[in-house]
Short mmCIF file of all heavy atoms in Angstrom, two decimals:
data_model
loop_
_atom_site.label_atom_id
_atom_site.label_comp_id
_atom_site.label_asym_id
_atom_site.label_seq_id
_atom_site.Cartn_x
_atom_site.Cartn_y
_atom_site.Cartn_z
N VAL A 93 -18.25 -12.29 13.25
CA VAL A 93 -19.25 -11.52 12.49
C VAL A 93 -20.66 -11.91 12.95
O VAL A 93 -21.53 -11.06 13.14
CB VAL A 93 -19.08 -11.76 10.97
CG1 VAL A 93 -20.26 -11.19 10.18
CG2 VAL A 93 -17.78 -11.14 10.48
N LYS A 94 -20.85 -13.21 13.17
CA LYS A 94 -22.16 -13.68 13.63
C LYS A 94 -22.51 -13.03 14.97
O LYS A 94 -23.61 -12.51 15.17
CB LYS A 94 -22.13 -15.22 13.76
CG LYS A 94 -23.45 -15.86 14.08
CD LYS A 94 -23.30 -17.38 14.08
CE LYS A 94 -24.48 -18.10 14.67
NZ LYS A 94 -25.73 -17.91 13.96
N GLU A 95 -21.53 -13.03 15.86
CA GLU A 95 -21.76 -12.49 17.21
C GLU A 95 -22.06 -10.98 17.16
O GLU A 95 -23.01 -10.51 17.78
CB GLU A 95 -20.51 -12.78 18.07
CG GLU A 95 -20.56 -12.26 19.49
CD GLU A 95 -21.56 -13.02 20.38
OE1 GLU A 95 -21.97 -14.13 19.99
OE2 GLU A 95 -21.93 -12.47 21.44
N VAL A 96 -21.22 -10.23 16.43
CA VAL A 96 -21.38 -8.76 16.46
C VAL A 96 -22.61 -8.29 15.69
O VAL A 96 -23.17 -7.24 16.00
CB VAL A 96 -20.12 -8.01 15.93
CG1 VAL A 96 -18.92 -8.31 16.80
CG2 VAL A 96 -19.83 -8.31 14.47
N THR A 97 -23.02 -9.06 14.69
CA THR A 97 -24.20 -8.62 13.95
C THR A 97 -25.49 -9.13 14.60
O THR A 97 -26.42 -8.36 14.82
CB THR A 97 -24.14 -9.09 12.47
OG1 THR A 97 -23.92 -10.49 12.43
CG2 THR A 97 -23.06 -8.38 11.71
N GLU A 98 -25.51 -10.43 14.91
CA GLU A 98 -26.76 -11.01 15.41
C GLU A 98 -27.00 -10.74 16.89
O GLU A 98 -28.13 -10.54 17.31
CB GLU A 98 -26.77 -12.52 15.14
CG GLU A 98 -26.84 -12.81 13.65
CD GLU A 98 -26.82 -14.29 13.32
OE1 GLU A 98 -26.85 -15.13 14.25
OE2 GLU A 98 -26.75 -14.62 12.11
N ASN A 99 -25.93 -10.73 17.66
CA ASN A 99 -26.11 -10.53 19.10
C ASN A 99 -25.88 -9.07 19.52
O ASN A 99 -26.66 -8.50 20.27
CB ASN A 99 -25.18 -11.48 19.88
CG ASN A 99 -25.49 -11.48 21.36
OD1 ASN A 99 -26.61 -11.18 21.76
ND2 ASN A 99 -24.49 -11.78 22.17
N CYS A 100 -24.79 -8.47 19.02
CA CYS A 100 -24.49 -7.09 19.45
C CYS A 100 -25.27 -6.06 18.63
O CYS A 100 -25.46 -4.94 19.08
CB CYS A 100 -23.00 -6.80 19.33
SG CYS A 100 -21.96 -7.92 20.30
N GLY A 101 -25.63 -6.39 17.41
CA GLY A 101 -26.46 -5.47 16.62
C GLY A 101 -25.73 -4.36 15.89
O GLY A 101 -26.35 -3.33 15.56
N ILE A 102 -24.44 -4.54 15.61
CA ILE A 102 -23.74 -3.46 14.88
C ILE A 102 -24.34 -3.30 13.48
O ILE A 102 -24.94 -4.22 12.93
CB ILE A 102 -22.21 -3.69 14.80
CG1 ILE A 102 -21.91 -4.95 14.03
CG2 ILE A 102 -21.55 -3.71 16.15
CD1 ILE A 102 -21.16 -4.69 12.79
N ASP A 103 -24.16 -2.11 12.90
CA ASP A 103 -24.87 -1.78 11.66
C ASP A 103 -24.09 -2.08 10.39
O ASP A 103 -24.69 -2.23 9.33
CB ASP A 103 -25.26 -0.30 11.69
CG ASP A 103 -26.19 0.00 12.84
OD1 ASP A 103 -27.38 -0.36 12.72
OD2 ASP A 103 -25.74 0.52 13.88
N ALA A 104 -22.78 -2.11 10.48
CA ALA A 104 -21.97 -2.43 9.29
C ALA A 104 -20.56 -2.82 9.72
O ALA A 104 -20.11 -2.49 10.83
CB ALA A 104 -21.91 -1.23 8.35
N LEU A 105 -19.89 -3.51 8.81
CA LEU A 105 -18.48 -3.85 9.03
C LEU A 105 -17.63 -3.04 8.06
O LEU A 105 -18.01 -2.86 6.90
CB LEU A 105 -18.25 -5.34 8.76
CG LEU A 105 -18.97 -6.31 9.69
CD1 LEU A 105 -18.90 -7.72 9.11
CD2 LEU A 105 -18.34 -6.28 11.08
N ILE A 106 -16.48 -2.59 8.56
CA ILE A 106 -15.56 -1.83 7.70
C ILE A 106 -14.43 -2.79 7.31
O ILE A 106 -13.63 -3.19 8.16
CB ILE A 106 -15.00 -0.60 8.46
CG1 ILE A 106 -16.16 0.30 8.88
CG2 ILE A 106 -13.99 0.14 7.60
CD1 ILE A 106 -15.75 1.42 9.84
N VAL A 107 -14.38 -3.16 6.04
CA VAL A 107 -13.46 -4.23 5.60
C VAL A 107 -12.80 -3.84 4.28
O VAL A 107 -13.42 -3.17 3.45
CB VAL A 107 -14.22 -5.57 5.37
CG1 VAL A 107 -13.27 -6.75 5.38
CG2 VAL A 107 -15.32 -5.79 6.39
N SER A 108 -11.55 -4.29 4.09
CA SER A 108 -10.90 -4.04 2.80
C SER A 108 -10.57 -5.32 2.04
O SER A 108 -10.51 -5.32 0.83
CB SER A 108 -9.62 -3.22 2.98
OG SER A 108 -8.59 -4.01 3.52
N ASP A 109 -10.30 -6.42 2.76
CA ASP A 109 -9.87 -7.67 2.12
C ASP A 109 -11.02 -8.25 1.28
O ASP A 109 -12.03 -8.70 1.83
CB ASP A 109 -9.45 -8.65 3.22
CG ASP A 109 -9.00 -9.99 2.68
OD1 ASP A 109 -9.17 -10.24 1.47
OD2 ASP A 109 -8.48 -10.81 3.46
N PRO A 110 -10.87 -8.25 -0.05
CA PRO A 110 -11.98 -8.71 -0.90
C PRO A 110 -12.39 -10.16 -0.62
O PRO A 110 -13.56 -10.49 -0.74
CB PRO A 110 -11.41 -8.58 -2.32
CG PRO A 110 -10.33 -7.58 -2.22
CD PRO A 110 -9.73 -7.78 -0.86
N GLY A 111 -11.42 -10.99 -0.24
CA GLY A 111 -11.72 -12.40 0.02
C GLY A 111 -12.64 -12.56 1.21
O GLY A 111 -13.63 -13.33 1.16
N ILE A 112 -12.35 -11.82 2.26
CA ILE A 112 -13.19 -11.96 3.47
C ILE A 112 -14.53 -11.27 3.24
O ILE A 112 -15.56 -11.72 3.74
CB ILE A 112 -12.45 -11.47 4.74
CG1 ILE A 112 -13.09 -12.07 6.01
CG2 ILE A 112 -12.43 -9.97 4.90
CD1 ILE A 112 -12.64 -13.42 6.36
N ILE A 113 -14.55 -10.19 2.46
CA ILE A 113 -15.84 -9.54 2.15
C ILE A 113 -16.75 -10.53 1.43
O ILE A 113 -17.92 -10.71 1.80
CB ILE A 113 -15.65 -8.28 1.25
CG1 ILE A 113 -14.94 -7.18 2.01
CG2 ILE A 113 -17.01 -7.77 0.74
CD1 ILE A 113 -14.66 -5.92 1.20
N MET A 114 -16.19 -11.21 0.41
CA MET A 114 -17.01 -12.14 -0.35
C MET A 114 -17.53 -13.27 0.54
O MET A 114 -18.70 -13.65 0.47
CB MET A 114 -16.20 -12.72 -1.52
CG MET A 114 -17.08 -13.33 -2.57
SD MET A 114 -16.19 -13.68 -4.08
CE MET A 114 -15.74 -15.36 -3.77
N THR A 115 -16.65 -13.76 1.42
CA THR A 115 -17.05 -14.86 2.30
C THR A 115 -18.11 -14.41 3.30
O THR A 115 -19.08 -15.14 3.56
CB THR A 115 -15.80 -15.39 3.05
OG1 THR A 115 -14.79 -15.68 2.08
CG2 THR A 115 -16.11 -16.65 3.83
N ILE A 116 -17.95 -13.20 3.84
CA ILE A 116 -18.95 -12.69 4.78
C ILE A 116 -20.31 -12.54 4.07
O ILE A 116 -21.35 -12.95 4.59
CB ILE A 116 -18.50 -11.33 5.40
CG1 ILE A 116 -17.32 -11.54 6.35
CG2 ILE A 116 -19.67 -10.65 6.14
CD1 ILE A 116 -16.65 -10.26 6.82
N LYS A 117 -20.27 -11.97 2.87
CA LYS A 117 -21.54 -11.75 2.17
C LYS A 117 -22.21 -13.07 1.78
O LYS A 117 -23.43 -13.17 1.75
CB LYS A 117 -21.32 -10.90 0.91
CG LYS A 117 -21.08 -9.43 1.18
CD LYS A 117 -22.19 -8.73 1.94
CE LYS A 117 -23.27 -8.18 1.08
NZ LYS A 117 -24.23 -7.34 1.89
N GLU A 118 -21.40 -14.10 1.48
CA GLU A 118 -21.98 -15.41 1.14
C GLU A 118 -22.59 -16.06 2.38
O GLU A 118 -23.61 -16.73 2.30
CB GLU A 118 -20.89 -16.33 0.58
CG GLU A 118 -20.59 -16.06 -0.88
CD GLU A 118 -19.44 -16.91 -1.41
OE1 GLU A 118 -18.81 -17.65 -0.62
OE2 GLU A 118 -19.17 -16.81 -2.61
N THR A 119 -21.95 -15.83 3.53
CA THR A 119 -22.43 -16.48 4.76
C THR A 119 -23.55 -15.68 5.43
O THR A 119 -24.51 -16.26 5.96
CB THR A 119 -21.25 -16.65 5.76
OG1 THR A 119 -20.09 -17.06 5.03
CG2 THR A 119 -21.56 -17.69 6.83
N PHE A 120 -23.39 -14.36 5.40
CA PHE A 120 -24.39 -13.49 6.04
C PHE A 120 -24.82 -12.41 5.03
O PHE A 120 -24.35 -11.26 5.09
CB PHE A 120 -23.80 -12.81 7.29
CG PHE A 120 -23.16 -13.76 8.26
CD1 PHE A 120 -21.77 -13.90 8.31
CD2 PHE A 120 -23.94 -14.50 9.14
CE1 PHE A 120 -21.18 -14.76 9.21
CE2 PHE A 120 -23.34 -15.38 10.04
CZ PHE A 120 -21.96 -15.51 10.08
N PRO A 121 -25.67 -12.77 4.09
CA PRO A 121 -25.98 -11.84 2.98
C PRO A 121 -26.50 -10.48 3.44
O PRO A 121 -26.33 -9.49 2.74
CB PRO A 121 -27.05 -12.58 2.18
CG PRO A 121 -26.99 -13.99 2.62
CD PRO A 121 -26.42 -14.03 3.99
N LYS A 122 -27.12 -10.44 4.60
CA LYS A 122 -27.72 -9.16 5.02
C LYS A 122 -26.72 -8.21 5.68
O LYS A 122 -27.03 -7.04 5.92
CB LYS A 122 -28.88 -9.43 5.98
CG LYS A 122 -30.10 -9.98 5.25
CD LYS A 122 -31.25 -10.12 6.20
CE LYS A 122 -32.47 -10.68 5.46
NZ LYS A 122 -33.50 -11.13 6.38
N VAL A 123 -25.54 -8.71 6.00
CA VAL A 123 -24.56 -7.84 6.70
C VAL A 123 -24.10 -6.73 5.76
O VAL A 123 -23.73 -6.98 4.61
CB VAL A 123 -23.35 -8.67 7.19
CG1 VAL A 123 -22.21 -7.75 7.65
CG2 VAL A 123 -23.76 -9.59 8.32
N GLU A 124 -24.13 -5.51 6.29
CA GLU A 124 -23.72 -4.37 5.48
C GLU A 124 -22.20 -4.21 5.54
O GLU A 124 -21.61 -4.31 6.62
CB GLU A 124 -24.41 -3.11 6.00
CG GLU A 124 -24.45 -2.02 4.97
CD GLU A 124 -25.37 -0.87 5.37
OE1 GLU A 124 -26.51 -1.12 5.80
OE2 GLU A 124 -24.91 0.27 5.25
N ILE A 125 -21.60 -3.96 4.37
CA ILE A 125 -20.14 -3.82 4.29
C ILE A 125 -19.78 -2.42 3.82
O ILE A 125 -20.31 -1.94 2.81
CB ILE A 125 -19.53 -4.85 3.29
CG1 ILE A 125 -19.84 -6.29 3.70
CG2 ILE A 125 -18.02 -4.62 3.14
CD1 ILE A 125 -19.09 -6.83 4.87
N HIS A 126 -18.87 -1.78 4.54
CA HIS A 126 -18.28 -0.53 4.07
C HIS A 126 -16.87 -0.85 3.59
O HIS A 126 -16.07 -1.42 4.36
CB HIS A 126 -18.22 0.51 5.18
CG HIS A 126 -19.59 0.94 5.66
ND1 HIS A 126 -19.76 1.83 6.69
CD2 HIS A 126 -20.83 0.62 5.23
CE1 HIS A 126 -21.06 2.03 6.88
NE2 HIS A 126 -21.73 1.29 6.00
#
Side-chain angles (χ1 to χ4, degrees):
Chain A
V93 170
K94 186 176 168 63
E95 179 70 17
V96 298
T97 53
E98 292 179 6
N99 189 26
C100 301
I102 63 117
D103 298 284
L105 296 167
I106 301 170
V107 199
S108 74
D109 179 351
I112 201 83
I113 292 178
M114 198 168 94
T115 308
I116 290 170
K117 285 302 272 188
E118 280 176 355
T119 319
F120 308 102
K122 286 185 181 167
V123 168
E124 200 169 313
I125 301 286
H126 295 177

